[in-house]
Amino acid sequence: MRKTSFLILQLSLMFLLLSCEKNDYTSYCPTWKGFTYMTGNYPDYVSGNPRSIYLYPNDSIHITAHQNERGHLINSTDYTWTICYDTLDAEGNRQHATKTYNQHTNYDGYTNGADDPVCHMLLPQNALSTENGKYDTIKFVARYTYSGQGVSIVNGNIVDNTSYGGRITPQSGPTGGGAAGYLYFSVN
């Protein structure tokens, strides 16, 4: 009887130890490599120096923001892509203009939610040539709401992104995080 009780106690303790597996409830944002892109008039896949993107009025550009490591325990996710360029106002003066594209997903909740964000943008027909010595921009912003306890990130983009254009820098706090990045281009 004593051996049986001891054996039951040992099995109970072993079961208890095995059932106390530690779960990771830490939320964190993805880290980023940078951007790649394809343009409408020049469909060759291009990556690298962000200053080598040349667009023409009415060109389309297909941009992907590449994650280095996926995020963890993220709920609601908003991606905003903004293309900034110059155009003429009603009086014929040069003015700064923007077009914004918004995307919303649940990062962990959908099969493709954690995929690299992609946007297809169209440069308007009335876009002016970029002024000498300046660049137009495409801005990418990601906002995440955590479902676990977040960790703070103080470093920016820590990944060698030599084969990607632009730079994407993450920010993170206890309840949410995000990232912001820029890709530069010229209008011919």
Side-chain angles (χ1 to χ4, degrees):
M1 177 100 168
R2 209 174 199 180
K3 281 186 172 184
T4 305
S5 296
F6 184 70
L7 183 60
I8 291 172
L9 179 63
Q10 282 183 324
L11 289 173
S12 298
L13 285 173
M14 187 172 77
F15 178 74
L16 183 63
L17 289 174
L18 291 175
S19 66
C20 292
E21 183 180 315
K22 186 175 181 175
N23 291 321
D24 182 7
Y25 296 109
T26 306
S27 291
Y28 49 86
C29 294
T31 57
W32 300 91
K33 295 178 185 178
F35 301 99
T36 57
Y37 59 91
M38 294 184 294
T39 61
N41 288 351
Y42 305 97
D44 297 330
Y45 192 65
V46 181
S47 65
N49 185 348
R51 295 175 193 257
S52 64
I53 302 174
Y54 297 101
L55 298 176
Y56 295 89
N58 214 31
D59 261 356
S60 63
I61 184 167
H62 182 87
I63 308 163
T64 304
H66 293 275
Q67 299 172 76
N68 184 55
E69 290 183 21
R70 304 259 187 245
H72 184 253
L73 291 180
I74 297 173
N75 280 332
S76 177
T77 301
D78 290 298
Y79 297 118
T80 303
W81 300 83
T82 305
I83 187 166
C84 305
Y85 57 94
D86 285 345
T87 188
L88 296 177
D89 64 15
E91 290 82 36
N93 299 316
R94 188 179 197 102
Q95 74 172 10
H96 189 68
T98 61
K99 283 182 77 174
T100 300
Y101 302 84
N102 295 304
Q103 299 166 325
H104 180 78
T105 189
N106 184 316
Y107 192 90
D108 289 333
Y110 297 131
T111 304
N112 63 350
D115 289 347
D116 292 338
V118 174
C119 184
H120 183 81
M121 305 175 110
L122 181 66
L123 186 64
Q125 181 65 42
N126 63 350
L128 296 177
S129 295
T130 305
E131 294 180 306
N132 286 338
K134 296 183 180 181
Y135 293 97
D136 293 312
T137 60
I138 296 170
K139 182 179 180 181
F140 167 74
V141 175
R143 293 285 172 245
Y144 305 106
T145 303
Y146 293 154
S147 58
Q149 177 62 41
V151 295
S152 294
I153 297 175
V154 292
N155 290 13
N157 188 9
I158 56 173
V159 177
D160 175 19
N161 67 346
T162 54
S163 62
Y164 297 87
R167 183 174 181 85
I168 305 172
T169 305
Q171 308 97 29
S172 186
T175 60
Y182 291 92
L183 189 63
Y184 300 95
F185 69 96
S186 297
V187 179
N188 289 330

